[in-house]
């Protein structure tokens, strides 16, 4: 028992690094730009390249975990991510930094679904719900901690340490994981990996994320935005054509057609979109409209990280008792209320009184939605599909973040450029509406019943130990 929880702790640290790196560059960007003489467009790529590659290759990472083995895939991803983090800190030009961020994304795409597959097949019943609760809390707390770390390290030893802090953590986890994670069963290792399908879905997902991110800067009607989105749709059409022709497809239609997978991906998309959208909006609001510095902005996110963590733990506790549907709906409604409270921020004196109550309430609501997303998806998926199913859910984690940030930045564009605060208010209104609509959809879509009870007939596949 202790060994399993120690393994979970190590994998949680590894996942924490991956999630931290989604937001850790945000506060450091001005320093990076000054040191490496980078313009706005290059700085945008420093942020988005990691998310693009991480999201785009996630499903291939999940498939490799199923075919080659979760332990091998996990160790390879961890090694690539650790080396890439070292190179990021050593970069002396924008091109090297962006290339190293892409390599970080490759490592993350291998590591994340493999680690989740290991957890899903190691834990059972209520223990699995608790383990996935820890995992979900990391998703939220890691993004908030990234902003906090970014402020601390940029104001202290320098922006390079935003990346170098990953290296010792990566080396420790690399040293200890082989002794804690069971060796892979190699029965499925001779199956071919669907590379054309992987390339098609990666290119399509990358184009979709790029189009959405670009819309935040140039608008939804810009030729490059529309071109990328149309190309993404074409890429997905090619992917469907490839999958219908190959012997061992990357994504089995029966996996994607499962209701828990559909509801889990939607919940993950919305939860991450709301979380990163609120982070982006609030970070800019407190710095632009309220004059907070980088370090103070980072510290502001600490209670928000605690709110997400507490919400996820409560969600994990409740999900085994009442099931995923009430947890998902309740969490989304809390988030809607929190975002609605934030719309009043410009009228309130004092930055803490204006921002913290609504921000922490919204974060507390998002935590349980993350747990419901992972748990409802993986509850009824056979063991040999665990990697792909987690890859699909994690792809929507990255995709949701990109859509959320692009959407609120487009809505709040005028205020971000320095013209009043009405744009920020509009951004918060959008977040509140999205959360409320998602709660209604979740009421009909998320499967009823308790996750570990639902998984009963699938345990022969999912729990081979």
């Amino acid at each position: 028992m202790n060994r399993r929880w120690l393994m979970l702790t190590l994998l949680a640290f590894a996942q924490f690094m991956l999630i931290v790196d989604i937001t850790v560059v945000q506060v450091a960007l001005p320093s990076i730009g000054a040191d490496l003489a980078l313009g706005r467009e290059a700085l945008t790529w420093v942020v988005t390249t990691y998310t693009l590659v991480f999201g785009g290759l996630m499903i291939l990472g999940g498939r490799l975990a199923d075919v080659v083995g979760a332990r091998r895939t996990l160790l390879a991803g961890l090694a690539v991510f650790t080396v890439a983090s070292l190179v990021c800190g050593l970069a002396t030009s924008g091109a090297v930094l962006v290339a190293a961020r892409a390599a970080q994304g490759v490592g993350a795409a291998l590591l994340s679904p493999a680690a989740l597959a290991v957890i899903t097949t190691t834990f059972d019943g209520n223990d699995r719900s608790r383990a996935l609760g820890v995992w979900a809390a990391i998703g939220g707390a890691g993004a908030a901690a990234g902003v906090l770390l970014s402020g601390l390290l940029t104001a202290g030893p320098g922006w390079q340490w935003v990346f170098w802090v990953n290296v010792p953590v990566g080396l420790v986890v690399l040293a200890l994981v082989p002794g804690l994670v069971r060796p892979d069963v190699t029965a499925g290792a001779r199956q071919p990996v669907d590379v054309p399908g992987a390339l098609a879905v990666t290119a399509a997902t990358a184009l979709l994320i790029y189009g959405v991110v670009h819309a935040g800067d140039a608008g939804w009607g810009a030729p490059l935005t529309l071109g990328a989105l149309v190309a993404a749709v074409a890429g997905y059409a090619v992917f469907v054509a490839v999958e219908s022709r190959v012997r061992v497809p990357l994504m089995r239609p029966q996996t994607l057609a499962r209701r828990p997978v559909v509801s889990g991906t939607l919940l993950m998309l919305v939860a991450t979109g709301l979380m990163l959208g609120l982070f982006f909006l609030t970070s800019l609001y407190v710095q632009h409209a309220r004059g907070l510095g980088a370090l103070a902005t980072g510290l502001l996110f600490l209670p928000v990280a605690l709110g997400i963590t507490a919400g996820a733990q409560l969600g994990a506790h409740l999900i085994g008792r009442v099931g995923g549907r009430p947890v998902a709906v309740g969490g989304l409604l809390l988030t809607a209320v929190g975002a609605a409270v934030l719309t009043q921020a410009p009228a309130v004196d004092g930055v803490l009184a204006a921002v913290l109550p609504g921000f922490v309430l919204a974060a507390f609501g998002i935590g349980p939605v993350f747990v419901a997303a992972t748990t409802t998806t993986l509850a009824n998926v056979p063991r040999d599909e665990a990697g792909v199913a987690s890859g699909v859910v994690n792809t929507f984690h990255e995709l949701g973040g990109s859509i959320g940030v692009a959407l609120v930045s487009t809505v709040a564009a005028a205020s971000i450029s320095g013209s009043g605060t009405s744009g920020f208010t509009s951004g918060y209104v959008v977040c509140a509406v999205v959360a409320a609509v998602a709660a209604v959809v979740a009421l009909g879509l998320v499967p009823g019943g308790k996750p570990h009870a639902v998984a009963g007939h699938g345990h022969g596949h999912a729990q081979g130990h």
Side-chain angles (χ1 to χ4, degrees), residues 281 408 410-416 419-429:
L281 210 54
V408 297
T410 303
V411 171
S415 293
I416 291 169
S419 166
T421 58
S422 61
F424 292 118
T425 305
S426 302
Y428 288 131
V429 169

Side-chain angles (χ1 to χ4, degrees), residues 193-408:
V193 176
D194 171 21
V195 177
L199 291 176
V201 77
T202 301
T205 307
L207 284 163
L208 180 57
I209 294 175
Y210 176 75
V212 171
V213 169
H214 191 262
D217 294 328
W220 294 99
L224 200 53
T225 303
L226 292 173
L229 295 176
V230 169
V233 172
Y236 284 121
V238 170
F239 173 65
V240 170
V242 169
E243 294 310 275
S244 63
R245 287 172 175 78
V246 294
R247 188 165 64 83
V248 185
L250 187 70
M251 292 161 78
R252 298 174 201 175
Q254 62 264 38
T255 302
L256 288 178
R258 293 175 194 273
R259 186 172 160 198
V261 177
V262 175
S263 74
T265 49
L266 177 77
L267 289 177
M268 186 59 86
L269 184 82
V270 172
T272 320
L274 287 168
M275 182 183 76
L276 290 183
L278 286 169
F279 278 18
F280 178 84
L281 210 54
T282 309
S283 178
L284 288 173
Y285 172 68
V286 296
Q287 289 185 78
H288 285 204
R290 296 283 180 142
L292 279 194
L295 187 55
T297 302
L299 290 170
L300 182 74
F301 278 76
L302 192 55
V304 178
L306 294 173
I308 292 174
T309 309
Q313 288 307 309
L314 179 65
H317 179 69
L318 288 176
I319 217 159
R321 293 169 181 244
V322 299
R325 187 188 295 163
V327 170
V329 173
L332 287 164
L333 289 174
L334 276 178
T335 305
V337 173
V341 171
L342 280 167
T343 62
Q344 303 304 308
V348 179
D349 290 332
V351 65
L352 293 182
V355 170
L356 270 186
F359 202 10
V360 172
L361 182 62
F364 184 74
I366 288 168
V369 185
F370 278 123
V371 184
T374 355
T375 312
T376 56
T377 304
L378 297 173
N380 195 26
V381 175
R383 181 194 174 115
D384 61 347
E385 293 176 24
V388 169
S390 64
V392 172
V393 174
N394 279 302
T395 297
F396 279 83
H397 184 281
E398 307 314 311
L399 197 53
S402 297
I403 291 172
V405 170
L407 188 59
V408 297

Side-chain angles (χ1 to χ4, degrees), residues 32-336:
I32 295 172
D35 272 14
L36 302 183
L38 304 182
R40 188 190 59 80
E41 197 173 323
L43 286 176
T44 305
W45 279 109
V46 171
V47 179
T48 55
T49 300
Y50 178 66
T51 322
L52 271 173
V53 179
F54 191 176
L57 290 180
M58 189 83 74
I59 293 168
L60 178 60
R63 185 72 189 119
L64 285 172
D66 289 340
V67 173
V68 178
R71 185 177 185 251
R72 291 189 193 97
T73 308
L74 192 156
L75 290 169
L78 188 56
V80 170
F81 183 85
T82 305
V83 172
S85 297
L86 179 66
V87 177
C88 280
L90 294 170
T92 53
S93 72
V96 173
L97 181 57
V98 169
R101 286 288 277 170
Q104 275 190 315
V106 172
L110 293 172
L111 170 57
S112 191
L116 189 51
V118 166
I119 290 166
T120 316
T121 53
T122 302
F123 291 91
D124 205 349
N126 279 329
D127 276 353
R128 183 198 276 185
S129 287
R130 283 169 62 201
L132 290 175
V134 171
W135 190 258
I138 287 158
V147 184
L148 174 62
L149 265 177
S150 189
L152 289 169
L153 294 171
T154 306
W159 65 264
Q160 290 87 348
W161 286 92
V162 162
F163 302 110
W164 284 343
V165 76
N166 295 331
V167 177
V169 179
L171 291 174
V172 168
V173 179
L174 265 175
L176 295 178
V177 159
L180 291 169
V181 178
R182 290 190 175 113
D184 298 311
V185 180
T186 52
R190 290 184 185 83
Q191 281 190 341
V193 176
D194 171 21
V195 177
L199 291 176
V201 77
T202 301
T205 307
L207 284 163
L208 180 57
I209 294 175
Y210 176 75
V212 171
V213 169
H214 191 262
D217 294 328
W220 294 99
L224 200 53
T225 303
L226 292 173
L229 295 176
V230 169
V233 172
Y236 284 121
V238 170
F239 173 65
V240 170
V242 169
E243 294 310 275
S244 63
R245 287 172 175 78
V246 294
R247 188 165 64 83
V248 185
L250 187 70
M251 292 161 78
R252 298 174 201 175
Q254 62 264 38
T255 302
L256 288 178
R258 293 175 194 273
R259 186 172 160 198
V261 177
V262 175
S263 74
T265 49
L266 177 77
L267 289 177
M268 186 59 86
L269 184 82
V270 172
T272 320
L274 287 168
M275 182 183 76
L276 290 183
L278 286 169
F279 278 18
F280 178 84
L281 210 54
T282 309
S283 178
L284 288 173
Y285 172 68
V286 296
Q287 289 185 78
H288 285 204
R290 296 283 180 142
L292 279 194
L295 187 55
T297 302
L299 290 170
L300 182 74
F301 278 76
L302 192 55
V304 178
L306 294 173
I308 292 174
T309 309
Q313 288 307 309
L314 179 65
H317 179 69
L318 288 176
I319 217 159
R321 293 169 181 244
V322 299
R325 187 188 295 163
V327 170
V329 173
L332 287 164
L333 289 174
L334 276 178
T335 305

